[in-house]
Amino acid sequence: MANNKREDILKAALTLFAERKYDGTTVPMIAERAQVGAGTIYRYFESKEVLVNELFQECVKSLSDRLSSNLLNPEYDLRHQFHLIFRRLTQFADERIDALLFLDSHHNAYYLNEQSHRVFSEMLELFRQLLENGKNDGTIGALQSDAMIAIVWGAFVHVFKTIRVGVLEQSAELLAGVEESCWNAIKRH
Amino acid sequence: MANNKREDILKAALTLFAERKYDGTTVPMIAERAQVGAGTIYRYFESKEVLVNELFQECVKSLSDRLSSNLLNPEYDLRHQFHLIFRRLTQFADERIDALLFLDSHHNAYYLNEQSHRVFSEMLELFRQLLENGKNDGTIGALQSDAMIAIVWGAFVHVFKTIRVGVLEQSAELLAGVEESCWNAIKRH
Amino acid sequence: MANNKREDILKAALTLFAERKYDGTTVPMIAERAQVGAGTIYRYFESKEVLVNELFQECVKSLSDRLSSNLLNPEYDLRHQFHLIFRRLTQFADERIDALLFLDSHHNAYYLNEQSHRVFSEMLELFRQLLENGKNDGTIGALQSDAMIAIVWGAFVHVFKTIRVGVLEQSAELLAGVEESCWNAIKRH
Amino acid sequence: MANNKREDILKAALTLFAERKYDGTTVPMIAERAQVGAGTIYRYFESKEVLVNELFQECVKSLSDRLSSNLLNPEYDLRHQFHLIFRRLTQFADERIDALLFLDSHHNAYYLNEQSHRVFSEMLELFRQLLENGKNDGTIGALQSDAMIAIVWGAFVHVFKTIRVGVLEQSAELLAGVEESCWNAIKRH
DNA sequence: GATGAATGAGGTTTCATTCAT
DNA sequence: GATGAATGAAACCTCATTCAT
């Protein structure tokens, strides 16, 4: 736990960015929620913009690490691999919903630097690899992988946004249904 | 030409909100893009918050009007009705991509008032009705309609976000594939 | 009735200046109360500052005219002359309370020009003359006339301010008592 | 030296409010005179309106504290008590002329809240008590106490306004004369 | 290292004034 | 003549950032 304050700040910022976006979050808001002085934030991050980028990259890494462990074990068939990846995504959404929502807001985010955009695309490589394999063995449909990724990611995140506002209620059954839907969206028919 | 300035302001605001979100957009930015004085904005809208809500509701209405004309013609089968609705969504995305992205940002938007949230849910009734009909005649799967709506909307919008940043290239073929995917996500298997 | 609009504007401005002072009154407020367009005000007055000065001088003239008619008739004794002047002041306060309050706010009013200050002092000459006469014939005390004027004017206006906020209720008896008090303040004992 | 900046701001605001009234005084003006950044004012006062009310109440307290110490010592006769109160008012006017003028501007001041109006009336209780005592022992005339207070306060403040613009010159003799005049205005004849 | 008071640039909003109709 | 839409300077206020403690 190298540095406690730094973690507190990142955690506070993440919650706020997920709820109010970058520009709707002020540095004093972050400081208050992190229970540190406003000046302290600047001992750990050069600026608000540096903070948001480090946080973004940390979130990408967090998701990436979860997804990439033992993922593409060739012993499993594609559907099962999809199930595993979906379960990991779900766990991530459960444990780090703010991180998921924050990651999803990256499109067109003028405050993210090139590195942030790059690590995000790199993370998607995992999905792409899975899909490519599936196309090779005839399990996955013919649509471009990037479109499929957009479909599954967009659907998945939007389901969790809808849960968050209370319109959907989370349950194992719901998530199983969503997984099946997403699989149907990409599998070869 | 009714009220030119008001339209100019709304159009400028829409572009900026879609690109930079509410808090990342300043009133002078809107004024400059609309080619009006900053003060002029306040002749048409009481405040920035009133502006964003009127704009949001106008965008909902715009999409709503497109979707609801002749939609549920019972002569057509469900797949065809889905095709028609998807085509209208696509046209809307083509002609008013900013409106689509702005509409999508409404979750947890603290600056939207109750009416804005309500008109948005009302618009979704259309989708819900279609899905209910499909469940009755056995065409659509068993997943809750709200989840299906989240899946299709989330997928659709995310595809257009991906097109926007240049990762996907829009084509009739792509959109046909996305439509098929979305249909597969919700149809009964 | 030379110019109706001009009068409407002056009347509206007077009420507002009396209630909210110069800087608390906006030109649109004046326009609304006068039932004219904001631009119309500028056909009659070069600027808000010119307006306030013309209005001030008009109010001074209005009070001046009332006070100076037949005032210092040497047939009357000083007490009676004081009574007459007091009655005229009272009538002015009754009919033009806003004008009285506006006139009273002139001290330190940075927006009044030299002419405005001058016509006000000239109006006070009347009082001064009365007091000088009284000192000569032994009716009035020895205090400097300017101090006596300040005492009587300050007392008189403050009584009407107190009536206005509802702490005192106006009545013939009250005013007779105030007149007597003021006379006692300046007469020779 | 407790809180220097807060005092500096209040002092600067008082001078400006006395000279230019509430709406004629801008926050940057206060900041410049107080030699602080404009933003600093908002660390001490929520808004300009809160500032003016805190300042007003502080001025009332300041005058109240001076007046109420040992005031109604029953050993002294009424005239002497009046003398003492008048001397304290004079000292207040000498040392805190801005506070006196600012206090006097409270009538109809839409920016003052109920508490501000209340503490001001409470301060006047002192005067009222003195006058009631005088009426009981036959020293003071029959006019309503509120009217007498208006007369003396109005006269007193207007004399100091007149001194301030240079028309009267302050001297012990002048003030003795004004005191005598004010006493004559209220005493039983 | 940590703080939060202080700042001023820049945010939202108002308003005296202009000018096309 | 009269209007009120339009403007931009300047109002009130916020906030990213600095720095003395």
Side-chain angles (χ1 to χ4, degrees):
Chain A
M1 41 110 166
N3 201 320
N4 233 343
K5 289 245 158 81
R6 191 174 191 280
E7 294 309 311
D8 291 348
I9 292 164
L10 286 171
K11 206 170 156 226
L14 178 57
T15 309
L16 288 161
F17 288 154
E19 271 175 14
R20 306 177 55 94
K21 316 287 182 216
Y22 177 70
D23 288 293
T25 301
T26 70
V27 173
M29 276 181 201
I30 299 170
E32 192 189 355
R33 186 177 264 267
Q35 309 225 63
V36 300
T40 306
I41 289 175
Y42 288 84
R43 297 201 65 74
Y44 294 95
F45 306 95
E46 223 178 295
S47 69
K48 190 185 174 191
E49 201 161 323
V50 167
L51 163 56
V52 77
N53 278 282
E54 293 200 18
L55 178 59
F56 186 85
Q57 289 164 36
E58 189 274 334
C59 288
V60 170
K61 187 166 184 340
S62 164
L63 176 53
S64 215
D65 287 352
R66 268 170 203 261
L67 295 177
S68 59
S69 60
N70 306 70
L71 184 67
L72 298 173
N73 186 331
E75 292 180 21
Y76 302 140
D77 68 6
L78 251 285
R79 180 63 186 87
H80 189 59
Q81 288 188 34
F82 184 82
H83 172 67
L84 292 176
I85 209 171
F86 200 91
R87 192 163 70 191
R88 286 167 188 188
L89 268 176
T90 302
Q91 282 167 355
F92 187 73
D94 270 352
E95 295 165 26
R96 306 207 60 197
I97 181 64
D98 290 338
L100 184 75
L101 298 182
F102 175 53
L103 284 176
D104 184 54
S105 72
H106 81 291
H107 270 135
N108 282 337
Y110 57 89
Y111 44 82
L112 293 183
N113 58 29
E114 194 165 350
Q115 196 186 355
S116 290
H117 286 297
R118 195 177 58 250
V119 295
F120 189 82
S121 334
E122 281 166 12
M123 182 196 66
L124 296 182
E125 272 311 309
L126 274 162
F127 295 94
R128 196 162 7 248
Q129 193 55 54
L130 184 75
L131 294 170
E132 295 303 328
N133 293 348
K135 284 175 181 174
N136 288 339
D137 71 12
T139 324
I140 297 291
L143 192 62
Q144 297 167 63
S145 296
D146 285 326
M148 286 184 174
I149 290 170
I151 288 167
V152 174
W153 176 273
F156 182 84
V157 171
H158 209 88
V159 164
F160 273 88
K161 285 184 186 170
T162 309
I163 289 168
R164 193 169 218 233
V165 295
V167 170
L168 282 175
E169 195 180 354
Q170 189 170 348
S171 71
E173 198 188 347
L174 172 72
L175 294 177
V178 172
E179 180 187 332
E180 191 65 22
S181 267
C182 286
W183 175 252
N184 287 332
I186 61 170
K187 83 163 187 201
R188 186 164 171 225
H189 281 81
Chain B
M1 37 99 179
N3 203 326
N4 241 329
K5 288 250 155 73
R6 190 173 192 281
E7 295 310 311
D8 291 349
I9 292 164
L10 285 172
K11 208 168 154 226
L14 179 56
T15 309
L16 287 160
F17 289 154
E19 270 173 16
R20 306 177 56 96
K21 315 287 182 215
Y22 179 70
D23 287 296
T25 301
T26 71
V27 172
M29 278 178 197
I30 299 171
E32 191 186 357
R33 185 178 266 265
Q35 309 228 62
V36 301
T40 303
I41 289 173
Y42 290 86
R43 288 198 62 73
Y44 293 96
F45 306 95
E46 233 178 282
S47 67
K48 190 186 172 192
E49 201 161 323
V50 166
L51 164 56
V52 77
N53 278 282
E54 291 201 18
L55 179 58
F56 187 82
Q57 289 166 35
E58 189 272 334
C59 287
V60 171
K61 188 167 183 338
S62 165
L63 177 53
S64 217
D65 287 350
R66 267 169 203 263
L67 294 178
S68 59
S69 58
N70 306 68
L71 184 67
L72 298 174
N73 187 330
E75 292 178 22
Y76 302 141
D77 67 6
L78 251 283
R79 181 64 187 86
H80 189 58
Q81 288 187 35
F82 184 83
H83 172 68
L84 292 176
I85 209 173
F86 200 92
R87 192 164 68 192
R88 285 167 189 187
L89 269 175
T90 303
Q91 282 167 355
F92 187 74
D94 271 352
E95 295 165 26
R96 306 206 60 194
I97 182 65
D98 290 338
L100 184 75
L101 298 182
F102 175 53
L103 283 176
D104 185 55
S105 72
H106 80 292
H107 271 134
N108 280 339
Y110 59 87
Y111 44 83
L112 291 183
N113 60 28
E114 194 165 349
Q115 195 187 355
S116 290
H117 286 298
R118 195 178 61 249
V119 296
F120 189 83
S121 338
E122 281 167 12
M123 182 196 65
L124 296 182
E125 272 311 308
L126 272 162
F127 294 94
R128 197 158 10 242
Q129 194 54 54
L130 184 74
L131 294 171
E132 295 304 327
N133 293 347
K135 284 174 181 174
N136 288 338
D137 72 9
T139 324
I140 297 291
L143 191 61
Q144 296 168 63
S145 295
D146 284 327
M148 286 184 175
I149 290 171
I151 288 167
V152 174
W153 176 273
F156 182 84
V157 172
H158 209 88
V159 165
F160 272 89
K161 284 184 187 171
T162 310
I163 288 168
R164 193 168 218 235
V165 296
V167 171
L168 282 175
E169 194 179 357
Q170 188 171 349
S171 69
E173 196 187 349
L174 171 72
L175 293 177
V178 171
E179 179 188 331
E180 191 65 21
S181 267
C182 287
W183 175 252
N184 287 332
I186 61 169
K187 81 162 187 201
R188 187 166 169 223
H189 280 83
Chain C
M1 40 110 166
N3 203 320
N4 234 341
K5 289 246 157 81
R6 191 174 190 281
E7 294 310 310
D8 291 347
I9 292 163
L10 286 171
K11 206 169 156 226
L14 178 56
T15 309
L16 288 161
F17 289 154
E19 271 174 15
R20 306 177 54 95
K21 317 287 182 213
Y22 178 70
D23 287 294
T25 301
T26 69
V27 173
M29 277 180 200
I30 299 171
E32 192 188 356
R33 186 177 263 267
Q35 310 225 65
V36 301
T40 305
I41 289 175
Y42 289 84
R43 296 201 66 75
Y44 294 96
F45 306 96
E46 223 179 293
S47 68
K48 192 187 173 190
E49 202 161 320
V50 167
L51 164 56
V52 76
N53 278 282
E54 294 201 17
L55 179 58
F56 186 84
Q57 290 164 35
E58 189 273 334
C59 287
V60 171
K61 187 167 183 340
S62 164
L63 176 54
S64 215
D65 287 349
R66 270 170 201 261
L67 295 178
S68 58
S69 59
N70 307 69
L71 184 66
L72 298 174
N73 186 330
E75 291 178 22
Y76 302 141
D77 67 5
L78 250 284
R79 180 65 186 86
H80 190 58
Q81 286 189 36
F82 184 82
H83 172 67
L84 293 176
I85 209 172
F86 200 91
R87 192 163 70 192
R88 285 168 190 187
L89 268 175
T90 302
Q91 282 167 355
F92 187 73
D94 270 353
E95 295 165 26
R96 306 206 62 195
I97 181 64
D98 291 339
L100 183 75
L101 298 181
F102 175 53
L103 283 176
D104 184 55
S105 72
H106 81 292
H107 270 135
N108 282 337
Y110 57 88
Y111 45 82
L112 292 184
N113 58 30
E114 195 166 349
Q115 196 187 354
S116 291
H117 286 297
R118 195 176 59 248
V119 295
F120 189 82
S121 334
E122 282 166 10
M123 182 195 65
L124 297 182
E125 272 310 310
L126 273 161
F127 294 94
R128 196 162 6 246
Q129 193 54 53
L130 184 73
L131 294 170
E132 296 303 329
N133 292 347
K135 284 175 183 172
N136 288 339
D137 70 11
T139 322
I140 297 291
L143 191 61
Q144 297 168 63
S145 296
D146 285 326
M148 287 185 175
I149 291 170
I151 288 167
V152 175
W153 176 273
F156 182 84
V157 171
H158 209 87
V159 164
F160 273 90
K161 284 184 186 170
T162 310
I163 289 169
R164 193 169 219 233
V165 295
V167 170
L168 283 175
E169 196 180 353
Q170 188 169 348
S171 71
E173 199 188 348
L174 172 71
L175 293 177
V178 172
E179 180 187 332
E180 191 64 21
S181 268
C182 287
W183 174 253
N184 288 331
I186 60 171
K187 83 162 185 202
R188 186 167 171 223
H189 281 80
Chain D
M1 38 98 180
N3 203 326
N4 241 330
K5 289 250 155 75
R6 192 175 190 280
E7 294 311 312
D8 291 348
I9 292 164
L10 285 172
K11 208 168 154 227
L14 179 55
T15 309
L16 288 160
F17 288 154
E19 270 174 15
R20 306 176 55 95
K21 315 288 182 215
Y22 178 69
D23 287 296
T25 301
T26 71
V27 172
M29 278 178 198
I30 299 171
E32 191 186 357
R33 184 179 266 266
Q35 307 228 64
V36 300
T40 304
I41 290 175
Y42 291 88
R43 288 199 62 74
Y44 293 96
F45 306 95
E46 233 178 283
S47 67
K48 190 186 170 190
E49 202 162 321
V50 166
L51 164 56
V52 77
N53 277 282
E54 292 200 18
L55 179 58
F56 186 83
Q57 290 166 34
E58 189 272 334
C59 287
V60 170
K61 189 169 182 339
S62 164
L63 176 53
S64 216
D65 287 350
R66 267 169 203 263
L67 295 178
S68 59
S69 58
N70 307 68
L71 184 65
L72 298 174
N73 187 331
E75 291 178 23
Y76 302 140
D77 68 6
L78 251 283
R79 181 63 185 88
H80 190 58
Q81 287 187 36
F82 184 82
H83 172 67
L84 293 175
I85 209 173
F86 200 91
R87 191 163 68 190
R88 285 167 189 187
L89 269 175
T90 302
Q91 282 167 355
F92 187 74
D94 270 353
E95 294 166 27
R96 306 205 62 194
I97 181 65
D98 290 338
L100 184 75
L101 299 182
F102 175 52
L103 283 176
D104 185 54
S105 72
H106 81 291
H107 271 134
N108 280 338
Y110 58 88
Y111 45 81
L112 291 183
N113 59 28
E114 195 166 348
Q115 196 187 355
S116 291
H117 286 298
R118 195 178 61 250
V119 296
F120 189 82
S121 338
E122 282 167 11
M123 183 196 63
L124 296 183
E125 272 310 309
L126 272 161
F127 294 95
R128 198 160 6 245
Q129 193 56 54
L130 184 74
L131 294 171
E132 296 302 327
N133 292 347
K135 284 174 181 173
N136 287 338
D137 71 10
T139 323
I140 297 290
L143 192 61
Q144 298 168 62
S145 296
D146 284 327
M148 286 184 174
I149 291 171
I151 288 167
V152 175
W153 176 274
F156 182 84
V157 171
H158 209 87
V159 165
F160 273 89
K161 284 184 186 171
T162 309
I163 289 169
R164 192 168 219 235
V165 295
V167 170
L168 282 174
E169 195 180 354
Q170 188 169 349
S171 70
E173 197 188 349
L174 172 72
L175 293 176
V178 172
E179 180 188 330
E180 191 64 20
S181 266
C182 287
W183 175 253
N184 287 333
I186 61 170
K187 81 161 186 201
R188 188 165 169 224
H189 281 81

